[in-house]
Amino acid sequence: SPPGPDGGKPTVTYSEIYLNADFCVQPPGHSAARKGIVDSLVAGCVPVLFRGPVAPGVASPWDQRDLWPWHWPGQRLSSIEISADDLERRGLRAILESVSERQLRAMRRAIREQAPGLLWPLSRKDARPTVANALGIAMHHLGHLALAPPAARGCDAAALRGG
């Protein structure tokens, strides 16, 4: 890591931390779409999410299940979800230490399989045709939605015809 300001302690980036960690705690923020969760998955770090209401005006990462069903379909296989009650009763360290090496390997395997689906290619040369990326996945699903009858898309056919 490069030295910090004024030649002090080296600065460390989130990506360096994520790449060297087993678990990445993702506390709730003001929106469900938390960049840190994608960053941790791309780095191979198991995201630790908090289930249930946290505080007024603060979104729970648990809500993210609804944001990325196309891109992160195996959320339960590749993350740890902790309730406020469990966190208070057992504590974070005890919960994470209870994850076996076998479970951790399985979660990382699921992350390796799903992480490319969270990446958006910056150019055609970055897009590899043999690997599904976020753009390809979105286009695939949008194509299926466009071909589906209006009722299957949650549309009222009569309203679409103006009647």
Side-chain angles (χ1 to χ4, degrees), residues 129-156:
T130 58
V131 177
N133 60 49
L135 179 60
I137 291 170
M139 296 302 289
H140 169 81
H141 285 284
L142 290 171
H144 283 288
L145 284 175
L147 296 174
R153 289 180 278 167
C155 299
D156 179 1

Side-chain angles (χ1 to χ4, degrees), residues 16-140:
E16 289 174 303
I17 294 169
Y18 288 174
L19 285 167
N20 293 301
D22 290 329
F23 305 104
C24 294
V25 177
Q26 299 296 330
H30 293 290
S31 100
R34 185 170 168 78
K35 180 183 178 297
I37 294 174
V38 174
D39 292 343
S40 62
L41 287 164
V42 170
C45 185
V46 176
V48 178
L49 309 177
F50 298 89
R51 195 175 4 180
V54 179
V58 175
S60 169
W62 185 256
D63 298 335
Q64 290 194 326
R65 178 186 328 161
D66 298 330
L67 287 177
W68 303 321
W70 297 345
H71 300 90
W72 191 19
Q75 178 177 342
R76 288 195 173 129
L77 302 173
S78 56
S79 65
I80 294 176
E81 299 153 350
I82 301 172
S83 69
D85 292 340
D86 203 26
L87 184 62
E88 189 174 316
R89 190 176 64 253
R90 295 176 55 204
L92 183 61
R93 171 173 255 139
I95 292 168
L96 297 180
E97 287 176 346
S98 71
V99 177
S100 71
E101 282 296 319
R102 183 172 171 244
Q103 290 170 308
L104 183 58
R105 281 193 307 274
M107 285 188 258
R108 284 200 165 137
R109 188 172 32 258
I111 288 170
R112 270 193 311 277
E113 292 169 2
Q114 296 173 13
L118 294 162
L119 297 174
W120 292 84
L122 299 176
S123 68
R124 269 204 161 121
K125 67 178 178 141
D126 294 332
R128 295 185 301 179
T130 58
V131 177
N133 60 49
L135 179 60
I137 291 170
M139 296 302 289
H140 169 81

